[in-house]
Amino acid sequence: MYHRWSEITFIHWRYPPACVQALVPGGLTVETFDGAAWVGLTPFLMRGVRFPGLPALPWLSTFPETNLRTYVRDPRGRTGIWFLSLDAGRLLAALGGRGGYGLPYFWSDMSVDTGDGRTRYRCRRRRPGPAGARCDAEAERGAPLAEHERDELAHFLTARYRLFTVVAGRPATAQVEHPPWPLHHSDLIGLDQDLIQAAGLPTREEPPVLHASPGVPVRVGMWTW
């Protein structure tokens, strides 16, 4: 699949590793940074979704998405993303993600609006449940990160080139290719969500770590065993 992840905000919290490990299948180990597991809420706008050799269809290929993810390592030492949930604003995308990649996609009522330097994300889950699970966020994208600000934590949280899933009861993986994220500072103006709780995690009271990006083109390969 080819597409572009646009107007993305990375919102990350620290968690005790054992808390997150309980939600990850056997064979995968939660990857830690500074002694903590990290869970990220990433709302964005998906653009230009298409299969190889086919054009993007204007209405079908552009829609909002909000992912809840953590970072894991497999027995071969490969690192990547484990998705706790993915909400998509197109039913066909949600069905395709579940059927084609075995990912926990949900069909949701969503929107992404930009203006005045701010991006406003809205998500209300439809199917499958829990119906009504939500994520309303507003963030203001700031200046680009200076080279010295692109530290090890920013790299750990954003530079991810593999996803893990389970297909037909077996662990599987797919390569994710994209250029380095053009990262910016970000201020979280507001956040009202319960996607984290719906995934089985407690709410964190500490302030999250924020990054934002105007986006990158992405290619996701087919899964392999």
Side-chain angles (χ1 to χ4, degrees):
M1 297 289 290
Y2 292 89
H3 36 71
R4 182 179 179 87
W5 294 338
S6 300
E7 306 299 336
I8 190 168
T9 301
F10 298 92
I11 311 169
H12 281 97
W13 292 268
R14 295 170 173 264
Y15 274 85
C19 180
V20 181
Q21 185 66 52
L23 302 179
V24 173
L28 296 177
T29 303
V30 169
E31 193 179 9
T32 62
F33 185 94
D34 195 24
W38 292 79
V39 173
L41 191 65
T42 57
F44 62 99
L45 185 63
M46 187 83 87
R47 296 182 184 271
V49 179
R50 66 179 181 87
F51 290 101
L54 295 176
L57 300 177
W59 182 80
L60 285 174
S61 66
T62 299
F63 53 88
E65 187 162 319
T66 296
N67 298 339
L68 184 66
R69 65 194 217 175
T70 191
Y71 309 107
V72 297
R73 185 183 301 273
D74 73 1
R76 295 166 58 181
R78 299 176 298 180
T79 64
I81 299 172
W82 177 259
F83 289 105
L84 301 169
S85 66
L86 307 95
D87 287 78
R90 288 281 182 269
L91 175 59
L92 189 60
L95 293 175
R98 279 186 173 261
Y101 282 89
L103 295 171
Y105 263 96
F106 297 82
W107 178 38
S108 299
D109 180 17
M110 307 180 73
S111 63
V112 176
D113 298 304
T114 58
D116 303 323
R118 296 184 178 184
T119 305
R120 301 165 184 86
Y121 309 94
R122 180 183 180 277
C123 171
R124 292 290 185 280
R125 187 169 290 172
R126 288 173 166 170
R127 295 179 183 175
R134 70 192 185 283
C135 179
D136 292 342
E138 182 175 354
E140 185 171 26
R141 191 167 75 213
L145 266 64
E147 190 60 36
H148 72 275
E149 294 174 312
R150 298 180 67 93
D151 56 15
E152 292 184 15
L153 180 57
H155 182 83
F156 178 89
L157 297 176
T158 63
R160 295 291 169 168
Y161 301 99
R162 181 180 300 276
L163 65 85
F164 293 100
T165 184
V166 175
V167 178
R170 298 173 58 189
T173 183
Q175 286 288 122
V176 180
E177 300 174 7
H178 61 75
W181 288 100
L183 293 176
H184 290 238
H185 293 279
S186 181
D187 290 323
L188 190 62
I189 308 302
L191 178 64
D192 180 19
Q193 68 81 35
D194 59 6
L195 299 185
I196 291 176
Q197 299 91 314
L201 288 169
T203 303
R204 300 296 286 172
E205 298 301 328
E206 65 185 44
V209 174
L210 271 290
H211 298 92
S213 179
V216 292
V218 180
R219 175 187 178 272
V220 180
M222 190 56 192
W223 53 262
T224 60
W225 302 116

